Amino acid sequence: MTQTMQAGAAGESNGAHAWKLVSALLVWATIAYVCIFIALDYKSVFHSDAAIKSVLADLASRQGHLIPTQWVFANGDTLTMTPYLFILPFAGMTGISYTSNMLAVIAGYLSLVGAAWFCARQVLGPQQQARTAAVALIASTLSAASLEFIASQGAYSIYSAVALGMFALLASRSRGRFVAMVMFVLAFLLASTNPKRAFVMAFAPCLMALAAAALHSRRGRMQNLLSSFRDVTVVSMVAGAVAGAAIYYLAIVPNIANYDAAANIKLAPPRVIAHSMLQIPIDWFRYFLINRPWAELSGPTKILQLGVWLIVVLILIAPGWIILKGSENPRLKYFAWLCYALLAAGILPLIVTQGIYWSALELRYSTLGVLVGFIVLAGAISELGARAKIRPRYMLMAMSVVAVTTAAMWPSLYKPENADAHGVSLRDRERLIELLESEHVGTAVGTYWNSHVISVLSEGKVRVYPVTYSERMAPFVHHVPFEPTHGEAGRRHAVILSKAEFASDGGRALERQLGKPSERIDSGPFVVSIYESPISDAVYGVGARFDEPVNKATVAIDTGTGLVPACEARDKCSMQLRVVNTGKTTLASNGQAPMRIGIQGMNAKGELVAADIGRIEFPTPLAPGKAISVQATLGKLPSEVVSLHACLVQENVAWLCDRTSATHKQPPGIDSPIDAANLGIELSQSTIASCPASDPDCSVMVHMTNIGRYPLTTSGAVPLRLGMRIGEPGAAGTSDIARIDLGRDLGPGESMQIEIKPPPAAAAEKVDYRLCLVQELVAWHCDKTFDRSKRK
């Protein structure tokens, strides 16, 4: 009998060891699959958000600083709790390198896995299979979106590793000087990278969970609470957080530039809050999609997807079960409260604030809550098995199988020839790099998603810097250096746009700002405009960056004209000025306090009625004594505005209307014929249809630009005007119909909008009228009147 029992115990022990061994192998397989994906496959979808850390580390190495001073950060994040830390030691030797980026990302991922193991060990204790299931779930990340932010891009890898270590020490309440010192260091690291984010995402939730756990205890609630907050680990955490915040605000912030999009965030109206509350449950499932929408999944993959969804639903339920059923494990109970506090810290701001919740991807802010939830879920299943006197190994093993199977799918997600979300594949970028190197282009600018990534993929041979492209090409608002450094491929510069971006205006804004390129080459989805001059420096305003208030005595402009009549089209108004820099300082719209031209609205009495209607930027630095044509499209004009007034303005500092003059003189009258070679106008449409007689309010808005060398003016014996006629000059049946009143002189390079009322026609007739430049008593210049919609 005794022998039988011993044999059974030995068999059970052997079986338990086998289960533990399989669980451990599943964890290692999960880690291996993710590392293989990062090393071999992630390059196919590598993008600028992931490439930033290499470019930043290269700049830091050149400066000899841990945190570069000539870089615009985003939202106060210094990136010190990202794989940037692992790239930095090698940046001086390797420069910008995809290999070092990839190795740093793997190191960051492994640090997270190590912290997850330590955390699970502290919370779950001897429950080995529960620990391995929790680590497997954390290692797999369970969704393509989470894989990107946690592992492959690494934005939350080291940050989460440090936070999990801090949570584990809080849960363990270990005593001793060493533990206190480690807690101080961990809290310091989180706070010194961005105190606001650390307080919202880590410090506040863990303290709230601590208070909730203490108050939920059955005896001595207040005494428990006071004792919890006097604990050496809590005191060390608070001290580390204070020290880190002090270093951040006193030593880091004064020496860096920062674009703070969070400054524009405000409380959302009730309607938006209600919509967000309904949308988040749906987006929770979207965020945890394995790799594609449900309808596109195969049968076996749908089963796996259901398993993933079941797990992410259970991490919302398991903490509540632990709290309500009263776990005997105080560390697990604390983590249950912590899970809810972290999820609330990540999700509630999405609901109550306006401007940060755009899609399911914003649920990445709940990453810490999800990671803690995996540990709580594994602990809850283990305790459920103990209470129900069943073996939980099957459920825990199922969780590990879901984790490793999900991780096994990551290498199949992307292929080099497949386009990413922005329509560009790795093969497209590699061909582009080959083209740029063959054309000796060492420096370029391009829109964000095709900027830093090319710098890293080319190993720094071609440096590409991000810009925005609309009416003016300007440096991207964040994750940019103050000025470009130049690549080794050659001295030429280029502008890289996607074909869709280029087609938006046919490259007119580009040429208006930088002039015609020496070459224009198509490369797959890209249009590359190559210049012999350093246009990247011009776009970035090298030598003309404004970060401090300017000395007013050194800046002045002449706009050439005072009040400009407001457009008849009240919803959209184009304004163009020819500006001369009459001061002593080069003007540019770059830096933290850029120089721009502000537009104000005046009423019929010349009184200011709209203090700030819009802005016109300097497309390139404007040196003293130089002139430039600038333009902008303004939004809806107030009804009382009849004219517009321009003033030099330094953003975030002051309007400089007293440094803005208007010395425009009435152009001389035209008293003799003008050489047609010096004339030209461009119209948004050169032909307009007659109006039906039944519609007396019928009109057409036409945009006109003077592309000639003479002003259109009514002064003189033979002035230049816009005329309306039927047919071409000299043809049979032509007829001179009318003249169009411009309302003001239109100088060379200037534009305006005109409201034209075509003469009515009989109900059964339709007449097409031709708009042409005409010099009175001299000639109609229809051949010098160009239709923008028809020009190629």
Side-chain angles (χ1 to χ4, degrees), residues 43 49 103 122 202 225 294 391 436 607:
K43 191 175 184 180
D49 271 358
L103 292 175
Q122 292 295 314
L225 180 64
W294 173 264
R391 292 174 181 172
L436 295 171
E607 299 168 334

Side-chain angles (χ1 to χ4, degrees), residues 403-438:
V404 72
T405 309
T406 305
M409 295 187 64
W410 299 145
S412 67
L413 277 181
Y414 308 107
K415 300 297 179 186
E417 61 276 6
N418 293 345
D420 62 13
H422 303 278
V424 179
S425 69
L426 174 61
R427 292 284 182 258
D428 293 329
R429 290 192 168 112
E430 289 175 337
R431 284 190 287 266
L432 174 65
I433 291 169
E434 291 175 3
L435 169 68
L436 295 171
E437 291 182 4
S438 67

Side-chain angles (χ1 to χ4, degrees), residues 290-527:
I290 297 176
N291 58 5
R292 53 179 61 92
W294 173 264
E296 299 176 17
L297 298 178
S298 63
T301 313
K302 284 183 176 179
I303 296 174
L304 178 61
Q305 181 67 78
L306 288 173
V308 170
W309 280 342
L310 176 61
I311 289 172
V312 298
V313 168
L314 288 177
I315 65 174
L316 303 177
I317 300 172
W321 185 84
I322 291 291
I323 292 167
L324 295 176
K325 294 299 181 180
S327 171
E328 296 299 323
N329 181 349
R331 299 179 182 183
L332 183 60
K333 186 182 292 185
Y334 170 67
F335 257 53
W337 285 108
L338 180 61
C339 177
Y340 282 148
L342 291 169
L343 289 173
I347 294 174
L348 281 178
L350 301 180
I351 296 174
V352 302
T353 56
Q354 189 168 7
I356 62 172
Y357 183 29
W358 301 103
S359 68
L361 292 180
E362 311 310 328
L363 289 173
R364 66 185 183 273
Y365 296 119
S366 63
T367 291
L368 289 177
V370 172
L371 299 182
V372 168
F374 289 148
I375 296 173
V376 175
L377 175 59
I381 290 175
S382 184
E383 290 214 357
L384 177 64
R387 292 191 181 196
K389 296 182 180 180
I390 60 174
R391 292 174 181 172
R393 62 177 57 162
Y394 299 106
M395 288 184 285
L396 293 171
M397 183 64 72
M399 289 165 55
S400 297
V401 169
V402 169
V404 72
T405 309
T406 305
M409 295 187 64
W410 299 145
S412 67
L413 277 181
Y414 308 107
K415 300 297 179 186
E417 61 276 6
N418 293 345
D420 62 13
H422 303 278
V424 179
S425 69
L426 174 61
R427 292 284 182 258
D428 293 329
R429 290 192 168 112
E430 289 175 337
R431 284 190 287 266
L432 174 65
I433 291 169
E434 291 175 3
L435 169 68
L436 295 171
E437 291 182 4
S438 67
E439 293 292 334
H440 306 291
V441 174
T443 315
V445 294
T447 44
Y448 182 74
W449 292 106
N450 298 307
S451 56
H452 296 311
V453 61
I454 296 175
S455 297
V456 176
L457 290 177
S458 71
E459 308 293 336
K461 293 178 182 177
V462 182
R463 306 282 182 122
V464 184
Y465 296 94
V467 294
T468 56
Y469 182 75
S470 54
E471 292 183 341
R472 171 190 179 251
M473 189 175 294
F476 195 65
V477 292
H478 57 74
H479 292 321
V480 295
F482 283 11
E483 61 182 71
T485 53
H486 305 293
E488 304 165 1
R491 62 172 184 80
R492 303 173 90 188
H493 288 233
V495 176
I496 303 168
L497 298 174
S498 71
K499 288 185 175 176
E501 291 164 347
F502 184 83
S504 64
D505 71 341
R508 282 191 293 273
L510 184 156
E511 294 186 6
R512 186 167 55 242
Q513 180 172 347
L514 302 174
K516 287 187 176 294
S518 59
E519 289 185 74
R520 181 164 284 148
I521 305 173
D522 283 4
S523 175
F526 301 107
V527 177

